[in-house]
Amino acid sequence: MSKLEELRKKIDHYDRQLAAVLEKRLEIILEIMAEKKEKRMPIFSKEREEQVVKQIGHYVTNPDLKEEVRYIQRHVLESCRRIQSKRLFPYHITLVGFMGSGKTTVGIELSKMLAMEQMDVDRVIEEKMKMKVSEIFQLYGEQVFRQLESSVVEELANQENVIIFCSGGGVVLNEQNVKNLKRTGVVVWLKATPEEIFSRISEDNTRPLLKDNMSVANIESMLEGRLHLYEKAADVVIETDGKTVEQVSFEIVDQLMRCDLDGRTGINQVDRRASNL
Ligand code: S3P
């Protein structure tokens, strides 16, 4: 046997051990998840993960390899988050809310927390059209934008992979959009007061519907016309004023776990797909 063959044999031996250990770890994670769910405890904890990553470094004897093992452990933990969120939330999670309600930032945080892919309706439109949303409004007007928005919402809602998707603030204006969103997913409304929205986006001039009239009063009157639509669409409502992105994300996870979604046919279909993963 050549030296290389010998070394590969050794590697195979350790990979086999690694596979068995990882399999056990994932199984225990699911047991922990069930336990936490029953006790209504928060499922994900950043502090605990940091502790686990730090701790594994202490078990490594070769100082040159400590960081590498910690790096691998971070990936193991990501995979553990994914396996849990697939079981807990086998449906799309859609974030809706007015401009500046935090859909995009919360979507990014939530996608890290749940190790789920995140897609932004406005970004998908921009990629398809190869121009910014503000340019689409300027060149073609709001109606064309709304048509593009509806077709992207439908496309994403039908996607097999479970995703977190963030829709533009006006997505709820169209009843068909809401139907599509609710067919295979849960709608989370990120609620914010006009004052809070203003403080978040007053410096931002990329919002075509507000850029020429950025004021609390204008936000208030636009919001007024949409409130009942967000209310009607939402399965879960989160008050975001004064909260950090992380706090809002934790609250979403917590509320989704309490959410009773029985009888939602589309969700059950996604459910079946997810349970085969
Ligand atoms: C819109 C909100 C924007 C964008 C477009 C229309 C709206 O998304 O889709 O400017 O009608 O509220 P954000 O809410 O992400 O800014």
Side-chain angles (χ1 to χ4, degrees):
M1 199 189 283
S2 75
K3 172 92 179 163
L4 185 61
E5 278 168 343
E6 222 171 88
L7 291 172
R8 282 186 173 154
K9 221 172 155 201
K10 274 193 188 170
I11 283 282
D12 284 348
H13 165 78
Y14 285 114
D15 278 349
R16 187 182 285 240
Q17 286 195 2
L18 204 53
V21 169
L22 289 173
E23 188 179 359
K24 242 327 27 71
R25 193 182 206 286
L26 290 168
E27 280 168 5
I28 295 173
I29 285 294
L30 292 178
E31 280 182 50
I32 292 178
M33 181 191 82
E35 183 71 11
K36 283 181 171 176
K37 196 174 168 194
E38 200 193 306
K39 304 256 156 64
R40 289 184 173 263
M41 287 166 69
I43 299 280
F44 304 101
S45 160
K46 269 196 182 168
E47 292 75 34
R48 169 72 186 149
E49 288 206 5
E50 272 159 26
Q51 190 194 336
V52 167
V53 169
K54 207 166 147 201
Q55 177 174 288
I56 202 160
H58 299 321
Y59 302 146
V60 179
T61 45
N62 182 340
D64 289 344
L65 299 179
K66 265 185 204 296
E67 255 329 293
E68 227 34 71
V69 172
R70 285 194 170 126
Y71 172 83
I72 295 167
Q73 180 71 330
R74 281 192 199 98
H75 285 272
V76 170
L77 293 174
E78 185 187 354
S79 159
C80 289
R81 271 182 268 131
R82 183 164 31 243
I83 180 182
Q84 293 180 91
S85 54
K86 266 182 187 160
R87 305 280 156 124
L88 294 169
F89 315 120
Y91 41 73
H92 304 310
I93 300 171
T94 299
L95 305 179
V96 299
F98 198 71
M99 289 167 264
S101 58
K103 302 175 294 280
T104 307
T105 40
V106 170
I108 292 169
E109 175 68 22
L110 204 56
S111 107
K112 278 194 222 143
M113 194 181 276
L114 302 179
M116 263 167 93
E117 197 187 349
Q118 184 239 16
M119 295 218 167
D120 195 310
V121 174
D122 282 4
R123 298 297 83 75
V124 177
I125 295 174
E126 289 182 341
E127 270 163 35
K128 275 187 194 284
M129 297 296 287
K130 300 198 171 31
M131 60 174 91
K132 296 266 162 222
V133 165
S134 53
E135 292 166 335
I136 302 173
F137 267 75
Q138 224 168 23
L139 270 173
Y140 304 112
E142 180 166 352
Q143 218 185 337
V144 169
F145 173 78
R146 296 294 174 209
Q147 282 161 5
L148 290 165
E149 190 176 51
S150 294
S151 75
V152 169
V153 165
E154 187 170 356
E155 197 181 300
L156 292 185
N158 287 335
Q159 192 171 303
E160 291 259 327
N161 270 352
V162 169
I163 52 165
I164 296 167
F165 74 82
C166 308
S167 53
V171 124
V172 292
L173 298 175
N174 178 325
E175 208 179 323
Q176 190 56 41
N177 286 346
V178 176
K179 272 195 192 137
N180 281 330
L181 294 174
K182 289 178 87 87
R183 198 161 37 79
T184 54
V186 170
V187 176
V188 177
W189 173 20
L190 301 183
K191 214 173 164 184
T193 56
E195 291 75 15
E196 174 87 14
I197 291 171
F198 180 78
S199 77
R200 288 180 193 165
I201 65 171
S202 58
E203 303 288 302
D204 182 354
N205 57 11
T206 62
R207 320 260 177 179
L209 293 171
L210 282 173
K211 72 176 175 12
D212 298 324
N213 191 357
M214 182 68 84
S215 65
V216 175
N218 190 33
I219 293 172
E220 196 163 16
S221 83
M222 271 185 82
L223 193 55
E224 188 74 22
R226 291 183 180 181
L227 275 180
H228 67 289
L229 297 171
Y230 290 126
E231 222 155 72
K232 205 169 138 207
D235 297 296
V236 166
V237 183
I238 309 280
E239 306 276 350
T240 67
D241 278 26
K243 291 180 189 159
T244 64
V245 172
E246 207 175 290
Q247 279 171 325
V248 171
S249 307
F250 267 107
E251 237 179 82
I252 294 175
V253 171
D254 188 51
Q255 289 224 31
L256 285 176
M257 289 184 55
R258 292 158 201 261
C259 201
D260 181 12
L261 299 164
D262 285 351
R264 196 78 81 67
T265 49
I267 286 177
N268 291 339
Q269 274 168 26
V270 181
D271 200 342
R272 272 198 292 280
R273 284 203 297 263
S275 57
N276 293 331
L277 294 170

